[in-house]
Amino acid sequence: MDTNNMHPVMKWVEYRLPVFSFLDHSLGTQYPTPKNLNYWWNFGSLAGLVLVIMIASGIVLAMHYTAHVDYAFDSVERIMRDVNYGWLIRYIHMNGGSMFFIVVYIHMFRGLYFGSYQAPRELLWMIGVFILLAMMATAFMGYVLPWGQMSFWGATVITNLFSAIPLVGDSIVTLLWGGFSVDNPTLNRFFSLHYLMPFVIVGLVVVHIWALHVHGSNNPTGIDVKSEQDTIGFHPYFTTKDLFGMGLFMMFFMFFVFYAPNFFGEPDNYIPANPLVTPAHIVPEWYFLPYYAILRAFTGDFLVYQVISLGGLLMDAKLAGVLAMFASILLLLFMPWLDGAKVRSCSFRPIMAMAFWIFVLDCLVLGYIGGKPAEGNFITIGQWATFYYFAHLLVIVPLVSRLERPRQLPDSINASVLKAAE
Amino acid sequence: MKMNMMKTSAAALAFVATVMVSGTSFAAGDTPRAPAQNWSFNKLFGSFEPAAAQRGFQVYKEVCSGCHSMSLLSYRHLSQLGFSEDEVKAIAASVEVTAGPNDEGEMFERPGIPADRFKAPFANVQAAAAANNGKAPPDLSLMTKARVGGADYVYGLLVGYEEAPSGVEVPEGGNYNKYFPGHVIAMGPPLSDESVEYTDGTKPTLSQHAKDVTTFMAWAAEPEMEARKRMGVKVLLFLLVLTGMLYAVKRKVWENLH
């Protein structure tokens, strides 16, 4: 960085702590970025934006919230009614959770389509999967805090899953609860951890971006940067593009905050928690529904269960469901090796592209089934969708990626941009 | 490449749409959904009709409050509905509340003040349950937010009492209601024509009572709604202009690349 043209104060700081050249190399003119990134590449910066919004609004909410079973529900309502603009802060935080998952899911599907997880970005991708896991834990515990009916019963159902683990399961559940049922100690530790986890996510995000900056962004062609002609500075090109994307996203986000603030929520959570009354349907928040569907797909007569448990010998259906649910996310860690293709982007792998879109559809079906009661056709559809989810990751991706002959790749990123402009 | 972008964008839209559909609530069992009413406050920029909400408060005070608490509301909140300061004071003073302990350590009775919460009909949940066949009447502060169907459901329930269809057994102490999940509700028909005498000349029909008290309850559940919608317009207009300018900046910056 040319320090000669700097303001004397900046120069003074730069000499002692090179923040300006650091910024310039991180998101400035000195960070070379593929010139062909499309708008799907906006979702990483959007996720960062939502994380900041969530932490800022959450810190203010914590100033007014009371983590006690007798006061939690009323303290949230006090925020809604008596704290200045409390309703705004709470609705931003509440809908921000949903926005975070929308943005991150699109970000991940973008990575899957364009092969962003492939060498040399395996660790970058894996850290991302851990960020998702951390987000899920944070969101789950946050949903418990208002201490409504869904908070309480959601917490009961999800924590009970751990009891399926052989030998230590019950002890783990007792540890999670801080007692022998979901109660005040549970609420207290969830509040504490809900405040801690976002900073763990921040740490993971720092490592995620660190790994990103080693080899830079992947791009829609999936081919490596070959010359300076292929790249442009992050600033001003992608700073302006990301800011424009943030404007669009904020309109989407704020529409829900101001005009449909309870759209993503469950009415039952406006009923104070009551351990004696079970809601008719216990459903998790929408972003957990696909995993919930996988969990519930494992009944005694589910063929996949029969196979993996050797006809029921190895484990019961509940444990199989819990394992499958965690496996559905943990398997993503292995994507870089499940996919054996030499070409990254599905734009040049038509069969893989088709498989990708069917997989997206399958995830949506799972989400739909997760919100329906476990009865009749919903069970059958959920089981087929669960089967397909794992078949895609374990069979279709490894086979198609190794057998499919990709289309002709462009000579360079620059060449592909010039061709598209014709 | 262009074609590909279109396809992917369409798929993304489909994703968001499906998320939205699956995000909405799931109605229980075979109970029909209460038909949608034309609520002024459900419109995108709509507000509560103050006269209806005031009449609704009268219905709550004279009928519902005999069994149902609204513990999240204070009398001072009523000024939002257009009650004057003196009127709010008078409404609050019309109930006796238990306060204290005083300097002697005794609890004592005093007339209510605007800062008091709405007085509950029963001392505690157990007392409420004991007086109502073992089941406490629910608090009404958040009712329109806490039920699938919201205000439509509350209104439907209030006017939905009817003779049980032949073959349906209604147990002792129960009542048949078209829109209550499972149809058998412990609460008897709370409202009928002329349950409450209106002072503003509005015709006191059952449906009018139900509409008014539902409006009042919708306000009680979301007292911030009008402020929220007003602010929303400003925020979205601001973002629209800002985003437009950001787009212009982006175009300008990228112009010399192509």
Side-chain angles (χ1 to χ4, degrees):
Chain A
M1 186 175 209
D2 183 17
T3 51
N4 291 323
N5 298 328
M6 271 186 176
H7 187 274
V9 176
M10 284 169 73
K11 208 167 159 181
W12 187 91
V13 173
E14 175 72 18
Y15 184 65
R16 287 153 181 84
L17 182 73
V19 279
F20 300 106
S21 54
F22 176 77
L23 280 177
D24 204 33
H25 282 102
S26 308
L27 14 103
T29 53
Q30 299 302 311
Y31 178 47
T33 310
K35 54 162 59 161
N36 60 339
L37 299 189
N38 57 36
Y39 274 100
W40 295 116
W41 263 262
N42 276 53
F43 287 87
S45 70
L46 292 182
L49 173 69
V50 187
L51 178 60
V52 171
I53 291 174
M54 291 304 277
I55 290 179
S57 56
I59 286 174
V60 178
L61 287 178
M63 294 173 188
H64 300 283
Y65 172 75
T66 308
H68 187 288
V69 290
D70 292 343
Y71 304 108
F73 188 91
D74 283 359
S75 76
V76 171
E77 278 305 316
R78 204 186 81 83
I79 291 170
M80 294 296 292
R81 290 155 193 270
D82 293 335
V83 172
N84 290 334
Y85 298 106
W87 56 266
L88 176 61
I89 300 161
R90 193 222 171 191
Y91 277 156
I92 285 175
H93 198 73
M94 205 170 112
N95 286 281
S98 286
M99 294 300 138
F100 209 170
F101 279 94
I102 290 176
V103 165
V104 163
Y105 282 152
I106 294 176
H107 185 61
M108 292 180 72
F109 278 123
R110 189 270 288 154
L112 286 173
Y113 185 86
F114 294 106
S116 302
Y117 47 82
Q118 285 195 37
R121 297 183 183 83
E122 301 97 322
L123 280 178
L124 172 60
W125 168 259
M126 291 165 81
I127 295 160
V129 175
F130 286 119
I131 293 175
L132 175 69
L133 286 171
M135 278 174 61
M136 291 171 69
T138 312
F140 163 65
M141 290 187 289
Y143 193 60
V144 176
L145 301 185
W147 209 243
Q149 272 290 68
M150 259 336 152
S151 299
F152 179 87
W153 289 99
T156 304
V157 170
I158 301 300
T159 49
N160 256 316
L161 293 180
F162 292 89
S163 70
I165 302 169
L167 302 173
V168 291
D170 286 330
S171 308
I172 292 177
V173 175
T174 308
L175 188 70
L176 285 172
W177 286 344
F180 299 100
S181 65
V182 174
D183 207 334
N184 201 46
T186 325
L187 181 60
N188 271 298
R189 61 194 55 198
F190 278 21
F191 180 49
S192 171
L193 294 172
H194 183 71
Y195 206 115
L196 167 73
M197 286 302 286
F199 299 98
V200 173
I201 295 177
V202 169
L204 287 168
V205 167
V206 169
V207 184
H208 191 66
I209 295 173
W210 183 12
L212 169 70
H213 281 161
V214 178
H215 294 283
S217 293
N218 182 32
N219 67 84
T221 64
I223 57 178
D224 288 325
V225 169
K226 285 171 186 147
S227 71
E228 267 183 34
Q229 278 198 318
D230 292 342
T231 63
I232 44 181
F234 190 85
H235 181 73
Y237 295 105
F238 290 102
T239 40
T240 54
K241 194 175 176 181
D242 277 355
L243 281 171
F244 169 55
M246 286 178 184
L248 287 179
F249 167 70
M250 286 305 284
M251 288 205 284
F252 178 75
F253 184 178
M254 290 301 128
F255 173 80
F256 284 101
V257 168
F258 288 103
Y259 293 103
N262 293 299
F263 179 83
F264 295 103
E266 282 294 318
D268 273 37
N269 227 28
Y270 282 108
I271 304 171
N274 184 349
L276 301 177
V277 179
T278 318
H281 296 297
I282 302 175
V283 280
E285 289 278 83
W286 69 265
Y287 38 80
F288 291 138
L289 291 176
Y291 317 109
Y292 196 52
I294 291 174
L295 171 78
R296 294 193 304 179
F298 282 78
T299 54
D301 55 356
F302 183 27
L303 198 67
V304 176
Y305 162 66
Q306 287 292 334
V307 172
I308 62 168
S309 68
L310 304 178
L313 276 175
L314 231 52
M315 59 186 119
D316 60 11
K318 184 184 174 189
L319 178 58
V322 173
L323 291 178
M325 187 177 71
F326 283 111
S328 68
I329 297 164
L330 294 177
L331 267 182
L332 295 174
L333 290 171
F334 301 98
M335 268 315 281
W337 298 278
L338 291 169
D339 182 345
K342 300 272 180 289
V343 167
R344 295 193 186 103
S345 173
C346 281
S347 299
F348 304 98
R349 304 154 72 189
I351 302 175
M352 194 64 167
M354 208 191 308
F356 167 85
W357 286 113
I358 297 171
F359 181 64
V360 172
L361 192 71
D362 187 57
C363 293
L364 295 177
V365 170
L366 282 169
Y368 174 77
I369 294 296
K372 291 289 175 191
E375 57 193 30
N377 283 336
F378 294 138
I379 299 179
T380 321
I381 298 170
Q383 292 180 333
W384 277 105
T386 301
F387 171 76
Y388 188 82
Y389 184 95
F390 290 103
H392 174 83
L393 291 178
L394 294 172
V395 180
I396 296 174
V397 167
L399 284 184
V400 171
S401 64
R402 284 167 178 85
L403 297 177
E404 183 178 16
R405 254 187 60 196
R407 284 196 198 131
Q408 177 74 43
L409 291 173
D411 294 329
S412 70
I413 292 171
N414 192 42
S416 81
V417 172
L418 292 178
K419 200 178 152 218
E422 273 167 18
Chain B
M1 218 55 185
K2 267 266 127 58
M3 206 50 216
N4 242 337
M5 270 301 278
M6 297 260 291
K7 227 164 60 189
T8 41
S9 313
L13 277 179
F15 170 73
V16 173
T18 315
V19 160
M20 286 174 172
V21 171
S22 59
T24 49
S25 308
F26 306 96
D30 60 340
T31 314
R33 252 197 131 126
Q37 306 294 319
N38 188 23
W39 304 109
S40 63
F41 51 83
N42 272 359
K43 296 198 175 76
L44 202 54
F45 303 111
S47 53
F48 299 109
E49 196 193 317
Q54 286 198 16
R55 288 194 302 268
F57 171 64
Q58 191 192 349
V59 175
Y60 168 72
K61 195 175 66 169
E62 293 178 20
V63 182
C64 321
S65 69
C67 299
H68 292 278
S69 60
M70 282 186 105
S71 61
L72 296 174
L73 292 181
S74 296
Y75 294 107
R76 66 186 162 85
H77 291 140
L78 289 172
S79 59
Q80 277 186 30
L81 293 185
F83 287 107
S84 71
E85 203 177 320
D86 290 332
E87 283 171 320
V88 171
K89 277 184 182 160
I91 291 167
S94 68
V95 297
E96 287 284 305
V97 297
T98 309
N102 61 17
D103 292 345
E104 278 78 49
E106 308 286 339
M107 302 302 279
F108 58 91
E109 297 283 314
R110 62 156 173 75
I113 55 171
D116 284 325
R117 296 288 180 107
F118 276 24
K119 190 180 180 179
F122 300 101
N124 48 54
V125 183
Q126 287 79 357
N132 289 282
N133 285 327
K135 195 166 182 313
D139 186 273
L140 297 182
S141 314
L142 285 164
M143 198 44 87
T144 59
K145 272 167 111 176
R147 293 293 181 276
V148 175
D152 294 331
Y153 168 77
V154 172
Y155 173 81
L157 184 92
L158 290 171
V159 300
Y161 286 89
E162 52 186 40
E163 285 294 315
S166 58
V168 175
E169 191 79 31
V170 177
E172 182 71 30
N175 301 275
Y176 189 87
N177 190 300
K178 198 173 169 187
Y179 300 114
F180 189 72
H183 294 303
V184 178
I185 181 170
M187 174 170 74
L191 297 171
S192 57
D193 290 343
E194 293 171 35
S195 286
V196 170
E197 207 175 309
Y198 287 141
T199 53
D200 64 355
T202 308
K203 224 172 152 210
T205 59
L206 166 63
S207 81
Q208 187 66 43
H209 290 325
K211 276 211 168 94
D212 290 346
V213 79
T214 305
T215 301
F216 171 68
M217 283 160 69
W219 165 79
E222 299 190 275
E224 89 296 343
M225 191 204 71
E226 290 177 2
R228 168 158 59 77
K229 288 178 175 173
R230 274 199 305 274
M231 191 194 281
V233 177
K234 292 180 207 158
V235 168
L236 287 178
L237 281 178
F238 168 80
L239 282 172
L240 190 68
V241 173
L242 177 73
T243 308
M245 293 198 303
L246 287 171
Y247 182 63
V249 170
K250 189 254 166 193
R251 279 282 296 249
K252 184 85 194 144
V253 165
W254 282 71
E255 200 176 46
N256 46 12
L257 257 191
H258 295 307

